[in-house]
Amino acid sequence: DQQVKQNSPSLSVQEGRISILNCDYTNSMFDYFLWYKKYPAEGPTFLISISSIKDKNEDGRFTVFLNKSAKHLSLHIVPSQPGDSAVYFCAASVSKTSYDKVIFGPGTSLSVIP
Amino acid sequence: DAGITQSPRHKVTETGTPVTLRCHQTENHRYMYWYRQDPGHGLRLIHYSYGVKDTDKGEVSDGYSVSRSKTEDFLLTLESATSSQTSVYFCAILAGQGNTNYGYTFGSGTRLTVV
């Protein structure tokens, strides 16, 4: 059973609007969460992360929200740009400081339409 | 750039043949990982290494073996390739800095096709 779920395989958004990508997890031991972005024929790249002691982390156009009680996190991209079109992976770890392996979700393919 | 190089970038091989994929890093990172990416599954861990000659299994390790004889090289071997192992394989290192875990840095991937 998947511990990290991204129930929307794809999402289309108009340029300039907000993109919201959702992620749910089942393991209550997860306390560090990450988002990765992947372009075709490239490896995933780290985008933004959040620790369980926070409920929001912002980096430029990207904001991640964490709702621990619901075991849910979301990535907001405002405003969306065509260059944001990529596959976005949600990931979770049981620790921020130790070198535990990270569990990835199946990904959401975002298309930003000009 | 974390200096991760995967080789080959593309490979087509026949069922039943052994295949070795190479991951090379230049920054002396202790932890290295092999993942495979498949539609609907995202990235799944095959094997990882926490030091020279120290390796452990991941979620989907059956049919794969690894070796790490030097810090900089982590090899993934498909002992007898099957069509189910057709996938894109990513090597990663853990780019943590002190107490801040920045997560993984990935190589560019190897696209393997087993025919």
Side-chain angles (χ1 to χ4, degrees), chain A residues 10-14 109-113:
Chain A
S10 61
L11 176 68
S12 290
V13 173
Q14 289 286 339
S109 178
L110 173 66
S111 296
V112 179
I113 304 164

Side-chain angles (χ1 to χ4, degrees), chain A:
Chain A
D1 191 24
Q2 284 185 338
Q3 297 186 65
V4 178
K5 303 178 183 181
Q6 294 175 260
N7 293 322
S8 297
S10 61
L11 176 68
S12 290
V13 173
Q14 289 286 339
E15 181 179 4
R17 307 293 289 268
I18 184 172
S19 295
I20 300 176
L21 294 89
N22 293 304
C23 177
D24 297 290
Y25 61 95
T26 59
N27 188 344
S28 58
M29 297 298 292
F30 288 144
D31 72 350
Y32 193 66
F33 304 90
L34 311 97
W35 285 93
Y36 288 82
K37 176 179 179 180
K38 184 186 179 304
Y39 293 118
E42 295 183 9
T45 56
F46 170 77
L47 188 59
I48 192 169
S49 63
I50 188 167
S51 169
S52 61
I53 62 173
K54 295 184 176 181
D55 55 16
K56 176 182 175 181
N57 189 26
E58 190 171 359
D59 184 2
R61 297 186 296 112
F62 302 90
T63 303
V64 56
F65 295 92
L66 175 62
N67 182 334
K68 286 181 294 183
S69 61
K71 295 190 179 70
H72 177 83
L73 62 156
S74 60
L75 175 68
H76 293 211
I77 307 173
V78 184
S80 300
Q81 299 174 354
D84 296 328
S85 297
V87 176
Y88 290 79
F89 292 102
C90 174
S93 170
V94 296
S95 174
K96 169 183 155 182
T97 57
S98 68
Y99 296 104
D100 290 301
K101 49 191 179 295
V102 176
I103 306 298
F104 288 83
T108 295
S109 178
L110 173 66
S111 296
V112 179
I113 304 164

